[in-house]
Amino acid sequence: MAVRIAVAGGKGGTGKTTLAVGLARAFLSTGEKVSLLDLDVEEPNSHLFLSDLREVNRRQVISSLPAVITEHCVACGRCKEFCHFNAIVVFDKATVLEEFCHRCGGCVLVCPERAIVEKEVVIGEVIKAVGRGLELVSGWLEVGQANPGPVIREVKAEQVAGDWVVLDCPPGSGCAFVESVEGADLLLGVVEDTPFGAHDFRKVVQVARNAGMRIFAVINRYGMGNGDGVKVCEEEEIEILAKVPFSEAAHRALAQGGDPYSVSPDLKGILDWIRDALLERLER
Amino acid sequence: MRIAVPVSAPSKEALMDEKFGRAQWFLIYDSKSGRYEVVENPGFEASSGAGSAAVQTLRDRSVDVLLAGNIGPKAKDLLAMAGIKAYEDYSGRGEEVIRQFLSAQGGQ
Ligand code: SF4
Ligand code: SF4
């Protein structure tokens, strides 16, 4: 059985993608098969660090949304009364508020005038690329679409070959995050040593704990914060696998699309260390 | 003209409720008849779309103007769609708020 590692940061910009890509490469270097899933579908960026991969497959994610045929609507209000999510208002005619709609399809069924129909819309794409023994599956949410859930599910449903599956999770601890970590064996938190970083990581921990996941942490930009990130890990009894100091040189190289595993010997050493620690903890 | 204020109790002396979409009641004043009425906002404990339920209620009661503390961006869009004029930064008791508005309007 493949081991699924969710890499999550809580707040954005913690270096989560760097770690996810770097860790994938570290596993790869020992001859393991690795798949990387980019689930940060609103801003997928794992591919930026893996520009030499070759695209092998691309498919659209379709979702259906109710649409009102206004000429047929008699403003009876049944659809609005039915909708449990207040996703329909009827002023002169019914209007579906897409951002609240959960796509249950109920309004389509209850409209006596058949004035609501399911309309299919492309809400995103799933792209698979391979190269250097690595397989990358990225999800892309169309601009203007509010609900990343279906795209995340499609990425996770993709058949992957890796013995290690690294999940680059979206920031935050909301629905998109919950959807992303579901089914993961362990969570690797990338925590900034700041009050914000600590606060957001605590919420991530709550979700992962409830899902029964093992949790480990990596403190990023160690030495640049006030110690709150480390404190949270201590309070929550989460083992810190590594404290990564900030390096101006590595930061610059990464910003130019450098591969995290090759930009600096220090960073490579840390990534190998994290990989070995995980192997040991999982008794693999 | 019909004017609504979100209130924290079902009375015209009640304090305005800061959160428009989540207020349990609306005090509605009809300037033609000079009468007040209170309606319940079905969105007050909705887990989703509280604002849309609130705007729907106002629209169903033919409200023309909403006076509130603050109104979220989504609710503002819906109010505009419903043709309800919305004004923010009000506070105080329901009846007072309505009087303040009317006197600023030139004592209609
Ligand atoms: S149920 Fe149908 S006819 Fe009635 S308001 Fe809704 S869309 Fe219009
Ligand atoms: S599909 Fe369901 S959630 Fe969406 S508007 Fe219709 S009834 Fe509401």
Side-chain angles (χ1 to χ4, degrees), chain A residues 38-44 125-127 137-141 151 155:
Chain A
D38 194 343
L39 302 172
D40 188 359
V41 302
E42 286 176 71
E43 223 171 308
E125 258 185 338
V126 174
I127 301 175
V137 184
S138 309
W140 295 74
L141 186 70
V151 180
V155 176

Side-chain angles (χ1 to χ4, degrees), chain A residues 11-30:
Chain A
K11 84 187 258 297
T14 59
K16 157 189 75 70
T17 297
T18 309
L19 187 79
V21 174
L23 191 62
R25 295 268 287 129
F27 276 114
L28 208 62
S29 72
T30 61

Side-chain angles (χ1 to χ4, degrees), chain A residues 80 85-86 89-92 95 97 99-100, chain B residues 46 48-49 52-53 55-56 59 74 81-82:
Chain A
K80 171 201 80 188
F85 304 101
N86 291 314
V89 287
V90 181
F91 297 154
D92 295 314
T95 306
L97 308 173
E99 67 266 41
F100 299 129
Chain B
S48 132
S52 57
V55 177
Q56 182 77 57
R59 166 78 193 212
K74 280 182 192 166
M81 223 173 100

Side-chain angles (χ1 to χ4, degrees), chain B residues 46-105:
Chain B
S47 58
S48 132
S52 57
V55 177
Q56 182 77 57
T57 306
L58 298 182
R59 166 78 193 212
D60 291 348
R61 304 286 168 154
S62 312
V63 166
D64 306 291
V65 171
L66 168 70
L67 308 176
N70 74 73
I71 306 173
K74 280 182 192 166
K76 265 186 200 153
D77 289 349
L78 282 167
L79 286 160
M81 223 173 100
I84 298 169
K85 287 207 191 71
Y87 300 94
E88 287 177 285
D89 298 328
Y90 277 90
S91 64
R93 299 190 181 276
E95 194 184 7
E96 278 166 28
V97 168
I98 291 169
R99 282 229 194 88
Q100 252 178 54
F101 172 77
L102 288 174
S103 59
Q105 290 274 301

